[in-house]
Amino acid sequence: MDKDITIRLAQQPEADALLGRSPLAALVGMLLDQQVPMEWAFSGPYTIARRMEADDLDARVIAAYEPEAFAALLSEKPAVHRYPGSMAKRVQQLCAYLVEHYDGDAEGIWRDAGSGAELLGRLKDLPGFGEQKAQIFLALLGKRFGVRPKGWREAAGGYGEAGVHRSAADITGPESLAAVRAYKQEHKAAAKAAKTGPAKE
């Protein structure tokens, strides 16, 4: 991964700098990105690293951490997530998987991926990553980190398209963050309307 990448997901310099230089931090930020504002989620890896008194996240260290102690670390005020206990468990599961399958090296997931479809499959195999999360992270890798195996845009679905504001992959600053947030709200409202059906007269 290019070490000079500029990321604006956390909207705070130190947290964004960690996301830009640490593949594991970016992966953990994506894992945390549910049911909380995006900036909160992507600030999480920096908060975790700081509380562990480290400059980066280490999959082996996190996987081996005593579970209750790690949950307490994420629960300290301000909490890393709205559900710090369950997310602590998920982060440890993700790190344990990386240790088992990639020797603890998060970048190993995409370093030698031969195609977008192959990379998407690897991401979907990660604990806590469903189809949508995997596609968004694939788009994030392609658009912000320069990780572009053949067919990556197609594998990322709508999130891989250029010139859209649909996900974390499209955020380059406060304006694009606002645009993505607006898109998500519209999408949620449309889904809700479709569920309830047309209003009865």
Side-chain angles (χ1 to χ4, degrees), residues 16-183:
D16 279 324
L18 178 60
L19 295 171
R21 72 174 184 267
S22 167
L24 179 56
L27 208 55
V28 169
M30 189 73 241
L31 179 69
L32 295 172
D33 186 23
Q34 56 190 64
Q35 298 178 296
V36 294
M38 216 175 300
E39 314 94 291
W40 185 1
F42 282 98
S43 297
Y46 177 70
T47 304
I48 295 169
R50 204 175 52 196
R51 290 177 184 174
M52 293 179 79
E53 299 181 352
D55 293 326
D56 195 355
L57 299 183
D58 185 316
R60 291 183 181 282
V61 173
I62 292 173
Y65 219 89
E66 200 284 313
E68 281 189 21
F70 191 67
L73 205 71
L74 271 68
S75 300
E76 279 179 37
K77 302 294 183 191
V80 166
H81 195 275
R82 183 174 290 153
Y83 305 107
S86 60
M87 294 313 291
K89 189 176 178 182
R90 287 191 180 193
V91 171
Q92 286 196 291
Q93 287 171 340
L94 173 65
C95 288
Y97 182 91
L98 292 174
V99 170
E100 184 181 348
H101 296 274
Y102 295 98
D103 199 28
D105 177 16
E107 196 170 359
I109 299 167
W110 54 86
R111 187 183 292 115
D112 63 349
S115 68
E118 182 184 351
L119 178 49
L120 180 65
R122 291 182 184 184
L123 291 169
K124 283 165 65 177
D125 285 341
L126 298 174
F129 277 67
E131 174 97 19
Q132 185 184 46
K133 195 179 282 288
Q135 285 190 319
I136 291 172
F137 194 74
L138 176 53
L140 180 67
L141 286 172
K143 292 179 178 182
R144 302 285 154 247
F145 292 96
V147 177
R148 296 166 182 159
K150 188 177 179 183
W152 71 271
R153 286 192 188 274
E154 292 78 7
Y159 301 109
E161 292 176 20
V164 296
H165 291 97
R166 290 181 180 154
S167 72
D170 304 308
I171 293 169
T172 54
E175 286 181 12
S176 49
L177 173 63
V180 168
R181 191 158 279 147
Y183 169 81

